Amino acid sequence: MNPDQVAITSELHTLRDYIRWSVSAFHQHQVWFGHGHVTAWDEASQLVLNAVHLPWDTDPVVLDARLTQTEKERVLDYVHQRVELRRPLPYITGEAWFMGLPFHVDERVLIPRSPIAQLIETGFEPWLRPGSVNRILDLCTGSGCIGIACAYAFEEAEVDLADISTDALEVAQRNIERHQLGDRVSARQGDLFENLQGERYDLIVSNPPYVDADDLASMPAEYQHEPGLALGSGDDGLDITRRILREAADHMTDEGLLVVEVGNSEVHLMQAYPELPLIWVELDAGGNGVFTITAAELRAHAALL
């Protein structure tokens, strides 16, 4: 350890000490909170507790427990990664939560944060037609969090997780196994619908790359750790979304529903397809840029695409 680290470990002893010190380090280095926590205290608490292998909901009385030297050094390493290297906390801990479910994550996939979770929690009502849902596709799946959460919400459905990245699908497969859903959830490699010929789905959900060139260039350093393939999508952020709109109807049942997140590129999509009857979802818990459209509407407006 360097002299500064020796001084820290000799002066700070309890979990509470290290949480407070981490908060100060976050403020000093102006880290960006955009991958799970919104306050420095919450993120510092999660970082320190994880470093000493304690759950996030540990009894607060434990905060006055003293750390071993090894634990102190691990906390310092985590804080170094967070403030100096600007690694997002989920990449440091190897875990992120989505819709109340834990998922393994690393730099091969985006960190789960999609507002589509709000739609999954309500079973996509009122946009999804009533009745059973037999097949679901999570397109551009990354970690698999959206598709796996859908498998929990629709307990009888078979779910495909599709991605162009074999690295991402390795992470998704790990999460399939973690949630013991291998009998209903499958990972499928391909460029969008490339290897899904003949497949039909009642529900297609996608959080594709959608960051436009200007936003991509101005993103905080933390986002540079995420795979560029999963973020950028051309000058207006819509290169992938345009393909999804053109191709999705061929892979949907007659009453199928398409749900896509495009974030801040919402304005570009409205300008590009002013006649397309997209329904923009109001997200009560925050977020923007999620639309739905039915298979029938896509087919009726195919000439626009």
Side-chain angles (χ1 to χ4, degrees):
M1 292 191 297
N2 62 46
D4 289 341
Q5 292 173 320
V6 172
I8 291 168
T9 58
S10 65
E11 295 173 6
L12 303 180
H13 303 290
T14 68
L15 286 165
R16 195 184 305 275
D17 289 342
Y18 279 91
I19 292 172
R20 197 283 308 155
W21 175 76
S22 299
V23 170
S24 295
F26 292 168
H27 287 306
Q28 178 185 357
H29 292 268
Q30 298 181 321
V31 300
W32 181 267
F33 304 111
H35 293 98
H37 297 97
V38 296
T39 70
W41 182 266
D42 287 344
E43 180 139 333
S45 298
Q46 184 64 36
L47 181 150
V48 173
L49 290 172
N50 191 280
V52 300
H53 308 296
L54 289 174
W56 63 271
D57 57 352
T58 293
D59 190 323
V61 72
V62 177
L63 296 182
D64 293 314
R66 295 168 65 94
L67 277 65
T68 68
Q69 183 64 26
T70 299
E71 289 173 333
K72 292 177 179 181
E73 292 174 8
R74 190 181 304 117
V75 172
L76 294 187
D77 175 61
Y78 278 23
V79 173
H80 168 74
Q81 292 184 57
R82 187 67 187 90
V83 305
E84 298 291 347
L85 305 182
R86 293 302 177 97
R87 289 186 76 201
L89 181 59
Y91 287 156
I92 299 171
T93 64
E95 184 175 81
W97 288 72
F98 180 78
M99 217 186 80
L101 300 168
F103 292 91
H104 170 74
V105 294
D106 57 38
E107 279 87 342
R108 293 174 290 178
V109 298
L110 291 183
I111 295 167
R113 55 185 177 272
S114 173
I116 288 175
Q118 298 174 53
L119 281 69
I120 301 173
E121 290 172 342
T122 61
F124 294 91
E125 293 182 353
W127 305 281
L128 185 62
R129 57 101 179 99
S132 62
V133 175
N134 298 314
R135 302 200 65 203
I136 299 172
L137 172 64
D138 175 7
L139 194 62
C140 305
T141 190
S143 66
C145 63
I146 288 176
I148 289 172
C150 285
Y152 278 99
F154 299 92
E155 296 180 353
E156 302 302 320
E158 294 183 358
V159 181
D160 285 338
L161 312 179
D163 206 290
I164 192 173
S165 168
T166 55
D167 286 340
L169 288 177
E170 289 178 4
V171 178
Q173 184 61 45
R174 179 169 174 176
N175 283 318
I176 292 171
E177 295 167 2
R178 176 173 186 168
H179 290 274
Q180 300 180 354
L181 288 169
D183 59 330
R184 292 196 295 121
V185 181
S186 302
R188 307 281 296 269
Q189 193 277 332
D191 183 2
L192 293 184
F193 300 100
E194 176 186 30
N195 292 323
L196 298 172
Q197 295 89 346
E199 304 286 7
R200 297 290 184 273
Y201 299 94
D202 301 306
L203 175 63
I204 298 178
V205 187
S206 185
N207 177 16
Y210 62 69
V211 181
D212 66 34
D214 289 342
D215 282 353
L216 194 63
S218 63
M219 295 180 90
E222 281 81 353
Y223 291 90
Q224 305 308 315
H225 291 272
E226 295 190 292
L229 181 67
L231 288 170
S233 189
D235 288 344
D236 63 0
L238 298 179
D239 286 2
I240 300 298
T241 301
R242 286 189 177 90
R243 289 184 54 200
I244 293 173
L245 288 169
R246 287 196 300 267
E247 302 171 20
D250 291 336
H251 300 273
M252 299 168 70
T253 57
D254 289 343
E255 295 183 312
L257 182 72
L258 173 67
V259 179
V260 182
E261 176 185 349
V262 294
N264 290 340
S265 293
E266 172 182 357
V267 61
H268 300 310
L269 191 59
M270 290 180 178
Q271 293 169 353
Y273 301 107
E275 304 299 322
L276 194 62
L278 303 175
I279 296 176
W280 294 96
V281 179
E282 292 187 15
L283 299 161
D284 294 337
N288 67 294
V290 175
F291 71 80
T292 73
I293 188 169
T294 65
E297 289 166 338
L298 281 173
R299 290 165 185 152
H301 295 84
L304 299 175
L305 305 173

